[in-house]
């Protein structure tokens, strides 16, 4: 349970802009906060469980290993500057503190936190490179110095503060006039008063020209202020020491994080107990290690009783294979020494009274420094009401879709009735007139040939009078079927009136149009009609001319058809 609380408690540090991490003795990351994920450009689940060697260049990893090992060997806090190279080659500098974190009953680990001092380093570098320029441009220096968002000060070779910016007064609570009457050690607490003089002596003697160190000061109101100081010696044009320029970064908040982490345990325990979702943990042996009080509210089990139950006892039959399959993937990943997967899905669980409830489950494995699973942490949320809404929504959606299909079918039937001759299935005259105009527009735009054929059944009145209208209608139906089987894809066939029909042939010139009409005429003549025998038809064919409209074109085709009648019927004439 403590392990679960520690993991959840670390969320307090998620939004701190200080990089915080925990590492095992074999240099594997056990925890990183959000600031670390931004620095590493990788989510936590791609970093936790991996070592420095797997994540960083060898030289960087070896340097960090050396510092980490020193902490584990001596148990002493280690502080110093570390460098990290971004993927784009940009160098970032950090002031890092590493300490041994002893855990009763568990393996010791290393707690580290790092503050980005790249800005400090950039200022330091800039000051070193721009020493002469700063001396020549007091106005520019004043603007940079006074406007800096970190404390800045000038210190003479005797350690007296000769100039401070506004941020220095904010950090320590003294006015500028008060600070410039002090030395670097007037504010320092007694145990840290050797730090600045030792550096200044080394710098003046030529052993070091810059340093970054952590130092504690006393605020005007009495509390301790923790700072990281970046100090550099400024030399004149002849190389003689002149003064020191220092940048002071307040890290008091960071230094109190450790105390906050330890003091927050009870708060997080209360959060766990009174959360509305079921919070739980399962040990590597498959037994539950923790339930909060919501297991009673949602599932009806007392906490102690729930701890004695197996995972399958809580699950509906259809959810048991899902849970076992996930655990199998976790164990396989651990065996392969790869990152174990998290689970996020919907699981149906069994209440104490036997009823079933849908829950949304999030579970993630906690891995120790050896790559073994310590426990599985999980959250189960009641989504029964949401699932019922989803079922109702699906029912309504299915009903709407069925109505839409019926409407589309009805619309299609209405369109078919409005555009099709009921007897023959050919286009009716109104729809065919629309299609003729559409095809004329297309042919005119693209310069393609377009043909129109008209045919009339020879002596059709004799068929109706001699055999009856039913037989006459059957002749029209069978002839229409012959036409459809004779046309190309994209051709159009319509009933113009009575026994007159039109055939529209896109991309077809007069010569090919006459061939198509003659082939249909031949098939008509060879077809055997019940109780009637053979039936013939007379055809007229004409190619559209660019200067004529649809009415003129149909008239010309009609005349060609009557010319075929006058020529003895059962023939094709062109117009």
């Amino acid at each position: 349970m403590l392990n679960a609380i520690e993991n959840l408690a670390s969320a307090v540090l998620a939004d701190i802009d200080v990089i915080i991490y925990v590492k095992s003795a074999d240099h594997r990351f056990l925890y990183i906060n959000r600031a670390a994920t931004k620095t590493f450009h990788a989510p936590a689940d791609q970093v936790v469980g991996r070592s420095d060697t797997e994540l960083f260049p060898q030289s960087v990893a070896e340097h960090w290993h050396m510092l980490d090992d020193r902490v584990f060997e001596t148990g002493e806090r280690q502080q110093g500057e570390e460098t990290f190279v971004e993927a784009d080659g940009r160098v970032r500098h950090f002031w890092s503190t590493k300490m041994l974190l002893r855990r009763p009953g568990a393996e010791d680990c290393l707690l580290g936190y790092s503050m980005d001092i790249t800005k400090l380093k950039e200022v330091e570098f800039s000051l070193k490179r721009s020493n002469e320029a700063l001396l020549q441009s007091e106005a520019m220096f004043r603007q940079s110095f006074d406007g800096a968002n970190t404390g800045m000060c000038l210190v003479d070779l005797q350690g007296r503060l000769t100039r401070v910016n506004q941020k220095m007064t904010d950090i320590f609570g003294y006015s500028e006039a008060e600070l410039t009457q002090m030395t670097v050690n007037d504010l320092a607490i007694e145990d840290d008063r050797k730090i600045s003089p030792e550096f200044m002596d080394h710098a003046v003697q030529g052993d070091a020209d810059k340093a970054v160190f952590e130092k504690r000061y006393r605020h005007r109101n009495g509390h301790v202020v923790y700072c990281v100081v970046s100090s550099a010696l400024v030399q004149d044009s002849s190389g003689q020491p002149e003064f020191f320029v220092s940048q002071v970064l307040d890290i008091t908040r960071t230094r109190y994080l450790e105390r906050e982490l330890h003091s927050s345990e009870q708060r997080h325990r209360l959060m766990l107990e009174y959360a509305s979702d079921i919070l739980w943990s399962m040990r590597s042996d498959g037994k539950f290690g923790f339930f909060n009080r919501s297991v009673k509210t949602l599932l009806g089990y007392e906490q102690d009783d729930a701890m004695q139950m197996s995972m399958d006892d809580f699950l509906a039959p259809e959810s048991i294979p899902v849970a076992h399959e996930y655990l199998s993937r976790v164990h396989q990943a651990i065996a392969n020494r790869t990152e174990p997967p998290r689970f996020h899905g919907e699981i149906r669980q069994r209440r104490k009274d036997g009823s079933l409830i849908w829950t949304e489950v999030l579970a993630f494995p906690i891995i120790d420094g050896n790559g073994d699973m310590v426990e599985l942490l999980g959250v189960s949320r009641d989504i029964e009401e949401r699932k019922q809404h989803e079922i109702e929504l699906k029912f309504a959606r299915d009903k709407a879709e069925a109505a839409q299909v019926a409407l589309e079918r009805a619309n299609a039937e209405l369109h078919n009735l409005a555009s099709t001759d009921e007897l023959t299935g050919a286009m009716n005259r109104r729809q065919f007139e629309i299609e003729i105009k559409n095809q004329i527009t297309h042919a005119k735009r693209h310069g393609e040939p377009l043909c129109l054929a008209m045919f009339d059944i020879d002596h059709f009145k004799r068929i109706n009078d001699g055999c009856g209208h039913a037989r006459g209608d059957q002749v029209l139906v069978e002839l229409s079927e012959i036409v459809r089987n004779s046309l190309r894809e994209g051709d159009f066939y319509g009933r113009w009136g009575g026994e007159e029909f039109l055939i529209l042939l896109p991309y077809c010139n007069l010569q090919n149009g006459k061939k198509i009409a003659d082939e249909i005429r031949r098939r008509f003549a060879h077809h055997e009609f019940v109780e009637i025998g053979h039936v013939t038809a007379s055809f007229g064919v004409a190619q559209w001319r660019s200067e004529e409209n649809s009415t003129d074109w149909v008239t010309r085709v009609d005349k060609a058809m009557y010319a075929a009648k006058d020529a003895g019927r059962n023939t094709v004439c062109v117009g």
Side-chain angles (χ1 to χ4, degrees), residues 36-67:
T37 66
K38 293 179 180 179
T39 300
F40 295 158
H41 300 295
D45 58 2
Q46 293 183 13
V47 175
V48 173
R50 302 176 68 185
S51 67
D52 297 328
T53 306
E54 296 174 288
L55 295 168
F56 308 110
Q58 183 176 356
S59 59
V60 174
E62 290 176 351
H63 175 68
W64 289 2
H65 287 178
M66 178 187 68
L67 297 177

Side-chain angles (χ1 to χ4, degrees), residues 428-499:
N428 61 25
R429 179 165 181 158
R430 176 178 173 277
Q431 186 64 31
F432 203 85
E433 285 178 338
I434 294 172
E435 199 57 55
I436 290 175
K437 293 177 182 178
N438 290 341
Q439 292 302 318
I440 287 176
T441 299
H442 180 82
K444 186 182 297 184
R445 182 182 299 118
H446 299 284
E448 299 290 349
L450 184 62
C451 250
L452 185 64
M454 175 182 283
F455 70 85
D456 181 88
I457 301 172
D458 297 331
H459 305 300
F460 187 69
K461 187 175 184 304
R462 294 179 186 176
I463 297 173
N464 278 335
D465 292 345
C467 302
H469 287 282
R471 288 296 178 192
D473 288 349
Q474 185 61 31
V475 168
L476 297 180
V477 171
E478 293 184 28
L479 288 180
S480 293
E481 186 64 25
I482 292 172
V483 173
R484 277 191 287 270
N485 291 334
S486 303
L487 296 181
R488 309 164 303 169
E489 184 177 354
D491 294 339
F492 302 92
Y493 172 55
R495 187 175 184 181
W496 198 244
E499 64 269 23

Side-chain angles (χ1 to χ4, degrees), residues 9 78 138 156 166 185 206 266 301 313 363 401 414 417 483 535:
Q78 298 292 322
E138 173 64 20
D156 65 17
Q166 179 62 42
N185 274 340
Q266 186 59 38
Y301 297 102
D313 293 334
E401 289 176 355
L414 287 174
L417 290 173
V483 173
V535 175

Side-chain angles (χ1 to χ4, degrees), residues 154-328:
L154 301 184
V155 182
D156 65 17
L157 299 182
Q158 287 71 46
R160 292 186 294 264
L161 298 170
T162 61
R163 185 172 180 174
V164 297
N165 69 349
Q166 179 62 42
K167 191 65 177 180
M168 284 284 286
T169 68
D170 296 339
I171 293 173
F172 298 113
Y174 291 94
S175 68
E176 179 180 352
E178 290 172 322
L179 287 173
T180 52
Q181 299 299 315
M182 299 179 181
T183 69
V184 293
N185 274 340
D186 287 341
L187 293 174
I189 67 171
E190 185 174 356
D191 291 343
D192 290 355
R193 288 179 180 172
K194 293 182 180 180
I195 298 175
S196 293
E198 287 180 353
F199 159 65
M200 296 172 67
D201 289 343
H202 286 302
V204 171
Q205 294 170 12
D207 297 332
D209 60 354
K210 63 181 183 298
V212 178
F213 46 85
E214 185 176 329
K215 190 173 178 180
R216 293 170 293 175
Y217 298 90
R218 185 74 63 184
H219 191 273
R220 182 171 195 153
N221 65 13
H223 72 261
V224 176
V225 180
Y226 295 85
C227 295
V228 171
V229 180
S230 175
S231 187
L233 177 65
V234 178
Q235 299 172 326
D236 61 19
S237 57
S238 64
Q240 293 300 310
E242 190 168 3
F243 59 90
F244 293 90
V245 60
S246 297
Q247 194 168 24
V248 181
L249 183 65
D250 184 357
I251 62 166
T252 304
R253 185 183 180 190
T254 303
R255 299 291 285 131
Y256 282 104
L257 287 177
E258 296 172 47
R259 302 176 191 176
E260 176 65 22
L261 181 61
H262 293 297
S263 65
S264 66
E265 179 178 340
Q266 186 59 38
R267 294 198 302 270
H268 292 296
R269 187 186 303 275
L270 292 173
M271 289 170 57
L272 284 169
E273 285 299 315
Y274 289 97
S276 60
D277 297 334
I278 300 176
L279 305 180
W280 52 269
S281 69
M282 180 189 292
R283 298 194 299 265
S284 59
D285 60 5
K287 296 181 179 180
F288 287 102
F290 170 75
F291 276 103
N292 70 343
R293 297 184 181 185
S294 292
V295 72
K296 170 70 172 178
T297 305
L298 267 62
L299 299 180
Y301 297 102
E302 299 293 341
Q303 288 173 277
D304 291 342
D305 294 337
M307 297 274 285
Q308 305 304 314
M309 297 171 62
S310 70
M311 179 182 69
D312 292 0
D313 293 334
F314 288 100
L315 302 179
E318 66 269 24
S319 295
I320 292 175
V322 177
H324 282 275
E325 188 274 335
Y326 166 68
L327 289 178
S328 177

Side-chain angles (χ1 to χ4, degrees), residues 300-457:
Y301 297 102
E302 299 293 341
Q303 288 173 277
D304 291 342
D305 294 337
M307 297 274 285
Q308 305 304 314
M309 297 171 62
S310 70
M311 179 182 69
D312 292 0
D313 293 334
F314 288 100
L315 302 179
E318 66 269 24
S319 295
I320 292 175
V322 177
H324 282 275
E325 188 274 335
Y326 166 68
L327 289 178
S328 177
R329 288 191 290 119
V330 170
H331 294 314
Q332 185 63 48
I334 292 173
N336 295 336
R337 290 301 188 233
T338 58
E339 185 72 19
R342 293 188 173 193
F343 179 86
H344 186 193
E346 295 178 355
I347 293 291
R348 208 171 189 191
Q349 295 191 247
R350 187 188 305 278
R351 289 191 175 106
K352 185 176 181 178
D353 62 9
S355 62
L356 300 178
I357 179 174
W358 278 105
T359 59
E360 181 180 12
V361 176
L362 173 65
F364 53 95
I366 303 300
I367 307 302
D368 64 17
N370 297 321
D372 297 321
M373 186 175 77
V374 178
E375 61 185 344
L376 189 68
L377 295 182
V379 181
S380 300
R381 173 169 295 176
D382 180 2
I383 60 168
E384 181 68 23
E385 184 176 350
R386 188 183 82 189
K387 292 295 289 186
Q388 290 302 319
H389 289 325
E390 289 176 357
I391 293 172
E392 293 170 3
L393 180 62
K394 183 179 184 305
F395 176 77
R397 187 185 297 114
D398 291 345
K399 190 174 181 180
E401 289 176 355
Q404 179 66 24
V405 170
L407 179 61
E408 291 174 355
R409 186 180 297 113
N411 286 337
E413 291 175 358
L414 287 174
H415 176 75
N416 187 58
L417 290 173
S419 61
T420 305
D421 177 61
E422 184 177 0
L423 176 64
T424 63
M427 282 185 185
N428 61 25
R429 179 165 181 158
R430 176 178 173 277
Q431 186 64 31
F432 203 85
E433 285 178 338
I434 294 172
E435 199 57 55
I436 290 175
K437 293 177 182 178
N438 290 341
Q439 292 302 318
I440 287 176
T441 299
H442 180 82
K444 186 182 297 184
R445 182 182 299 118
H446 299 284
E448 299 290 349
L450 184 62
C451 250
L452 185 64
M454 175 182 283
F455 70 85
D456 181 88
I457 301 172

Side-chain angles (χ1 to χ4, degrees), residues 70-91:
R70 192 177 300 164
V71 173
F72 281 107
E73 291 169 2
T74 65
E76 296 178 356
R77 179 189 304 230
Q78 298 292 322
Q79 292 181 311
E81 182 180 328
E82 293 183 336
T83 302
F84 181 79
V85 181
E86 299 275 14
D88 60 2
R90 186 165 63 94
V91 178

